[in-house]
Amino acid sequence: MTRTAILSDIHGNLTALEAVLEDVEGQNVDRIVCLGDVIGYGPAPCECIDRVAEFEFCVLGNHDSSALFDPEGFNVAAEQAIFWTRAQIECGSDGPDASRRRMQMICSLPRLVDEGNVLFVHGSPRGPTNEYVFPEDTQNLKKMEKLFSLVPHLCFQGHTHVPGVFTTDLRFVRPVDTGAGYSTDDRRLRLMINVGSVGQPRDGDPRSCYVIFDEDRVEFRRVAYDIEKTVQAIEAEPELDDFLGYRLREGR
């Protein structure tokens, strides 16, 4: 039985990523995968790319895509951050070879990974890179029916930064209600599982969130990290909006 650590939405927050990877070390996992948005918002895009390049795979997130192409639908702070991020990647302090390697890594990211009965995407099974699936979408029967029609058994996703399990009976089960874990052993079930965010949680809990998946169960894990270290790094960079750091304190 393969144990997989599933991370998402790191957003250039190296301090959070390192704390999560330290936690992963104690979980006896066989592999680490990432559901995209390695960069954007945070102060350490190059370092985060280098760490994720060591994972088994990573899918393309909308911020990763926007580092290659012009961003669409971003607010002013996010757009400014992605242009700054692009400059860091293209002209890294460690030379053109490293910059080229990072750009090639982002360019090679797949939109989804299909392992038969399990999908890995950033957004949704219908819109792998950009479509949001929020908890309140459980009220949208037509949307949810279409999304679940594309799920073989499980679909792991990120993008909203809000962790939880979507069920076909239109429930959203939050991590606090999953106890020791959420069972996935019934192959007749179809579930969409949002793994939350490593670098910018938005569910009111400022701790990083990621998932351990062992084929029969999903466990949500929360990891505290030195938020102020990231806040100070953002404050020190004039082209990053200080709000991008301050929001981390409140998990929003």
Side-chain angles (χ1 to χ4, degrees), residues 74-103:
F74 281 21
N75 62 38
V76 173
E79 184 174 279
Q80 185 176 2
I82 206 66
F83 286 135
W84 175 85
T85 296
R86 180 187 298 176
Q88 306 310 302
I89 298 169
E90 291 178 341
C91 303
S93 60
D94 48 357
D97 288 342
S99 297
R100 190 176 304 110
R101 184 183 69 248
R102 292 178 186 122
M103 290 298 292

Side-chain angles (χ1 to χ4, degrees), residues 171-209:
R171 292 182 299 125
F172 181 72
V173 184
R174 298 183 182 276
V176 294
D177 297 320
T178 61
Y182 195 95
S183 176
T184 59
D185 62 348
D186 187 345
R187 295 303 188 264
R188 297 169 299 177
L189 291 176
R190 284 176 293 163
L191 303 168
M192 291 188 294
I193 302 164
N194 192 302
V195 305
S197 172
V198 169
Q200 195 184 86
R202 293 181 187 166
D203 62 338
D205 185 338
R207 296 176 298 170
S208 295
C209 186

Side-chain angles (χ1 to χ4, degrees), residues 32-73:
I32 306 173
V33 306
C34 181
L35 304 185
D37 276 6
V38 178
I39 55 180
Y41 299 133
C46 295
E47 295 86 347
C48 288
I49 291 171
D50 292 345
R51 296 302 299 271
V52 171
E54 301 169 359
F55 295 179
E56 178 154 318
F57 66 78
C58 178
V59 300
L60 181 71
N62 62 307
H63 282 256
D64 308 317
S65 177
S66 294
L68 304 175
F69 309 102
D70 287 340
E72 294 183 8

Side-chain angles (χ1 to χ4, degrees), residues 100-177:
R100 190 176 304 110
R101 184 183 69 248
R102 292 178 186 122
M103 290 298 292
Q104 289 173 342
M105 184 266 197
I106 297 173
C107 288
S108 68
L109 296 180
R111 294 176 69 244
L112 62 84
V113 170
D114 184 345
E115 294 188 343
N117 66 338
V118 183
L119 293 177
F120 299 88
V121 301
H122 180 66
S124 82
R126 178 171 61 180
T129 304
N130 289 301
E131 184 175 23
Y132 289 97
V133 187
F134 290 105
E136 55 266 30
D137 285 327
T138 53
Q139 305 299 314
N140 187 338
L141 177 60
K142 185 176 181 180
K143 176 177 180 177
M144 298 303 284
E145 284 184 340
K146 178 59 180 178
L147 293 177
F148 274 115
S149 74
L150 301 171
V151 176
H153 170 43
L154 304 177
C155 179
F156 288 98
Q157 56 207 68
H159 198 26
T160 68
H161 303 205
V162 180
V165 180
F166 293 93
T167 67
T168 52
D169 60 351
L170 302 182
R171 292 182 299 125
F172 181 72
V173 184
R174 298 183 182 276
V176 294
D177 297 320

